[in-house]
Amino acid sequence: MKDNSPEDIWEKREMNKMGLDTFLMRKENLLDPPIDNLIKSLKTRRIAARSEYQKLTKLERGNPEEFRKLEEKENLSGTSLQASMINYFQEIIYLEDELFVLFEMKIIHAFKFLEITIKQLLSAAYEDNSVKQQFRWESIGQFLNSKNILIKDINDYENIEKLRNVNNSLKHSEKEIDHRIKQIQEFKNKDTLNYIDLESFYTRIKKSPAIFLNSLVHYVFKDLYTFPHERIFELSKSFALRMDKKDAMEFSKELLRFYE
């Protein structure tokens, strides 16, 4: 029967192995580069606004007489140093809020990208489309556990858990720090979030999704295509507990037929 010949089976197996080996080559976080360019621009504007604001506040406090003279001169041209100070201050607050939103987007997208990629990987590797319908992170862990892959054993799992918790906190708590992330080093002893802490956190864990995914591919490959003696023995034993000798002999014959 077509597709059941030894050549067809070998080709499909090798193609599947190659697909798993190269799966991550086709996956990348496309949000970071454009967002990073925007962040750089906003930071430059914030530095400029903060510099001008500090100049004026320093002059007002350190040399009020000179500040008064300059203010009178500005008033003659229809402007005001006080108004400029307020505008610079408001600009700083606005830019910091924008930066917060951008780092919030980076963190939320990083976890969503990871989650989608994991589902696509498992669905393709195990030819099981139901994996894509798993909406809860815990369901992914349960699926992996059914394949004897413990999610906690995957490289950088701890940082992925931190990313997940910060992602959940940002989606539900806005700028307040909840109990889920208070033990993370960037947010310890703080009551509210700011863009600087979000940037520090994201910079530290930025490579963690790639590390986790590469490790997961290794575990999936091992589960699907690696059969040391101990594993073969356990598989044989599990069938022996359910098959009589006649069925076992027929099973062995049919299995070997795919290699002849």
Side-chain angles (χ1 to χ4, degrees):
M1 186 182 295
K2 185 172 175 57
D3 296 332
N4 283 341
S5 69
E7 293 79 10
D8 292 329
I9 294 295
W10 178 88
E11 182 178 357
K12 183 176 182 180
R13 181 173 65 249
E14 294 306 308
M15 288 294 292
N16 288 343
K17 289 166 71 175
M18 185 181 299
L20 185 54
D21 271 339
T22 60
F23 181 83
L24 296 180
M25 292 175 61
R26 305 185 295 273
K27 306 296 179 183
E28 60 178 319
N29 187 329
L30 298 176
L31 184 70
D32 270 359
I35 292 293
D36 286 341
N37 289 334
L38 184 54
I39 286 172
K40 183 178 179 180
S41 174
L42 293 180
K43 282 184 174 181
T44 299
R45 288 173 56 187
R46 178 184 175 277
I47 290 172
R50 187 173 177 81
S51 176
E52 293 301 318
Y53 177 77
Q54 288 177 334
K55 283 181 186 177
L56 292 175
T57 55
K58 183 178 180 180
L59 180 62
E60 183 183 35
R61 295 169 184 171
N63 194 339
E65 181 61 24
E66 179 66 18
F67 183 88
R68 184 185 63 78
K69 291 179 181 180
L70 289 174
E71 178 74 318
E72 290 176 353
K73 189 180 296 185
E74 290 289 317
N75 291 340
L76 292 174
S77 61
T79 58
S80 166
L81 292 182
Q82 289 289 349
S84 294
M85 289 172 65
I86 293 172
N87 289 337
Y88 285 132
F89 183 78
Q90 290 177 337
E91 175 78 352
I92 293 167
I93 298 300
Y94 166 76
L95 292 170
E96 289 181 351
D97 283 344
E98 285 290 290
L99 287 165
F100 182 94
V101 170
L102 292 176
F103 282 109
E104 180 181 49
M105 288 173 58
K106 283 165 72 76
I107 290 169
I108 291 174
H109 179 266
F111 183 73
K112 192 63 179 179
F113 167 78
L114 172 68
E115 199 172 32
I116 290 172
T117 305
I118 291 173
K119 290 179 181 180
Q120 290 180 342
L121 168 64
L122 298 179
S123 177
Y126 290 101
E127 299 183 348
D128 185 349
N129 287 326
S130 68
V131 181
K132 294 181 180 179
Q133 308 306 316
Q134 305 291 342
F135 297 108
R136 294 175 60 84
W137 177 253
E138 292 77 9
S139 299
I140 294 175
Q142 291 169 5
F143 180 87
L144 291 173
N145 190 57
S146 73
K147 308 300 180 183
N148 294 314
I149 300 172
L150 298 180
I151 194 169
K152 291 184 178 181
D153 289 341
I154 301 173
N155 290 349
D156 237 5
Y157 167 78
E158 289 187 4
N159 277 337
I160 295 303
E161 269 296 287
K162 291 173 183 177
L163 173 62
R164 183 176 74 88
N165 286 328
V166 174
N167 161 75
N168 289 339
S169 179
L170 288 171
K171 290 198 297 187
H172 301 125
S173 304
E174 296 185 354
K175 290 189 176 183
E176 293 183 6
I177 294 182
D178 62 32
H179 68 280
R180 289 172 292 189
I181 66 172
K182 281 202 170 185
Q183 298 306 311
I184 298 174
Q185 64 188 59
E186 288 82 5
F187 312 119
K188 283 184 177 180
N189 303 317
K190 297 180 180 179
D191 297 319
T192 58
L193 295 167
N194 59 62
Y195 89 86
I196 295 174
D197 293 333
L198 291 184
E199 180 178 20
S200 297
F201 171 75
Y202 187 74
T203 300
R204 180 169 65 84
I205 61 87
K206 182 178 180 179
K207 295 181 180 179
S208 295
I211 294 171
F212 184 89
L213 287 169
N214 276 287
S215 179
L216 176 58
V217 167
H218 167 77
Y219 278 104
V220 171
F221 192 96
K222 182 179 178 181
D223 175 55
L224 290 174
Y225 302 111
T226 305
F227 293 90
H229 174 75
E230 295 80 5
R231 187 177 185 191
I232 292 174
F233 174 80
E234 290 300 327
L235 286 171
S236 301
K237 181 180 177 181
S238 70
F239 281 108
L241 290 170
R242 289 175 286 155
M243 290 182 177
D244 58 26
K245 187 175 181 179
K246 178 183 176 182
D247 291 333
M249 291 178 68
E250 184 176 353
F251 177 81
S252 300
K253 179 182 177 181
E254 290 297 318
L255 178 62
L256 290 173
R257 188 169 64 82
F258 292 113
Y259 297 88
E260 295 173 350

